[in-house]
C-alpha cells in the first residue's frame, strides 16, 4: 500500500488552512480603500461628536453634567482621536509579531498568504486612523514612555498564543466600541465610515487570531497556559489603560486633574468596558487562558 505523503503536523493544521482560505475569499469579496471610501475633503463639522457620548470616560459624571454641548463634543473628538492613535500603536506591534511568526514559512500555505493580507489591511487602517485623528483636530497621542518600551519588548519577544491572544484582545475591545459609533448619527460621518471599514475588516482578523490561539494551545501543558495567560492579561491591561491619553482633557479645555479623578471613579465607563469584553472572556476561558492570576489583572483593568 502506498504511504501517505501528508505529515501528521500538516494534517493537524488543515482546519486552520481551510479557515485561512475562507478569509482570503472574504477579503477578495469585501475590502475597502480608505483613501477613496472616507470623505477626507469635507471640513470637520463641529456639531458632531467624535464617538458615541456614552463611551466618553466622563459620561455620567458630575463633570460631564457641567460641560456645555460644544465642550462634550470636543471631548469626544479628542478621545476618539486618542483611541485611534492607540490603535495605530498596537497595529504596528501586531504587524511585527505576525511577520516574525511567518518568517521563512511556506508561502504556498493559505495561512501565510492570509497573514500578509492582514498586514496589508493593518497598514491601511493605521494610515486611516492617522488621517482621521488629524481631521478631528487632535495631536499625536502616544502611550506613556514606559508602555512604549514595554510594547517594544513585547513585539520582539511574544510568540505563539501570547501574540495572537493579545491581538484578539485589542481588536475585540475596539470592535464593540466601534459597532456602537458607526451606527450613531450623533458621530461625525467620516468617523462612522472609518469605524464601519474597521469593523468589517477586523472581523476577519479576529477569526484568524482565535484559530491561531486555539492551534498554538493544542499541546500546551498547565505551566505554559498559566504563564501565557498572565502575559496576555498584562498586555491587555496596558492596551486598554492606554486608550485615552491624559492630554485629551487639556486639549478639550478641561481641568486635567479633576477629569482624571472623575474618569477613574466612573462606574458607567467601567461597566461598558466589562460588557464589551464578555464574549472575549468566554473565549479566553474556553482556551484555558482565564486563570486566577489573569482574572485579577483583568479585574484591575475593569475588563471582567
Amino acid at each position: 500500500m502506498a504511504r501517505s505523503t501528508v505529515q501528521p503536523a500538516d494534517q493537524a493544521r488543515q482546519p486552520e488552512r481551510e479557515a485561512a482560505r475562507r478569509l482570503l475569499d472574504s477579503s477578495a469579496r469585501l475590502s475597502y480603500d480608505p483613501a477613496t471610501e472616507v470623505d477626507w475633503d469635507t471640513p470637520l463639522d463641529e456639531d458632531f461628536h467624535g464617538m458615541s457620548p456614552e463611551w466618553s470616560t466622563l459620561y455620567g459624571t458630575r463633570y460631564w453634567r457641567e460641560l456645555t454641548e460644544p465642550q462634550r463634543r470636543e471631548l469626544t473628538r479628542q478621545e476618539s482621536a486618542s483611541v485611534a492613535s492607540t490603535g495605530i500603536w498596537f497595529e504596528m506591534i501586531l504587524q511585527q509579531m505576525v511577520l516574525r511568526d511567518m518568517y521563512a514559512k511556506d508561502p504556498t500555505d493559505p495561512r501565510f498568504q492570509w497573514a500578509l493580507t492582514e498586514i496589508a489591511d493593518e497598514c491601511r487602517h493605521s494610515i486611516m486612523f492617522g488621517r482621521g485623528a488629524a481631521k478631528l483636530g487632535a495631536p499625536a497621542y502616544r502611550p506613556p514612555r514606559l508602555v512604549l518600551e514595554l510594547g517594544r519588548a513585547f513585539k520582539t519577544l511574544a510568540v505563539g498564543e501570547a501574540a495572537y491572544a493579545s491581538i484578539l484582545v485589542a481588536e475585540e475591545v475596539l470592535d464593540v466600541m466601534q459597532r456602537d459609533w458607526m451606527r450613531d448619527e450623533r458621530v461625525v460621518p467620516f468617523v462612522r465610515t472609518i469605524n464601519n471599514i474597521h469593523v468589517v475588516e477586523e472581523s476577519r482578523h479576529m477569526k484568524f487570531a482565535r484559530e491561531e490561539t486555539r492551534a498554538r494551545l493544542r499541546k500546551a501543558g498547565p505551566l505554559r497556559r498559566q504563564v501565557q495567560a498572565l502575559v496576555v492579561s498584562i498586555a491587555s491591561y496596558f492596551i486598554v489603560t492606554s486608550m485615552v491619553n491624559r492630554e485629551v482633557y487639556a486639549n478639550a479645555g478641561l481641568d486635567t486633574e479633576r477629569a482624571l479623578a472623575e474618569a477613574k471613579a466612573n462606574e458607567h465607563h467601567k461597566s461598558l468596558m466589562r460588557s464589551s469584553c464578555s464574549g472575549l472572556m468566554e473565549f479566553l476561558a474556553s482556551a484555558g487562558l482565564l486563570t486566577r492570576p489573569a482574572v485579577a489583572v483583568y479585574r484591575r483593568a475593569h475588563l471582567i
Side-chain angles (χ1 to χ4, degrees), residues 72-93:
R72 292 173 179 175
R73 291 193 292 267
E74 179 59 25
L75 173 60
T76 62
R77 289 195 292 267
Q78 293 296 323
E79 289 178 307
S80 178
S82 180
V83 170
S85 295
T86 302
I88 294 169
W89 166 66
F90 194 76
E91 284 179 345
M92 294 184 74
I93 293 174

Side-chain angles (χ1 to χ4, degrees), residues 86 89-90 143-144 146-148 150-151 154 169 231-244 297 301 303:
T86 302
W89 166 66
F90 194 76
L146 172 62
V147 178
L148 282 174
L150 288 172
F154 184 72
V169 170
V231 169
V232 172
S233 67
I234 293 170
S236 304
Y237 175 86
F238 285 113
I239 292 165
V240 170
T241 57
S242 299
M243 280 189 170
V244 177
V297 178
L303 300 182

Side-chain angles (χ1 to χ4, degrees), residues 142-156:
R142 297 183 181 89
R145 172 57 59 184
L146 172 62
V147 178
L148 282 174
E149 296 308 321
L150 288 172
R152 194 187 305 279
F154 184 72
K155 71 180 177 57
T156 304

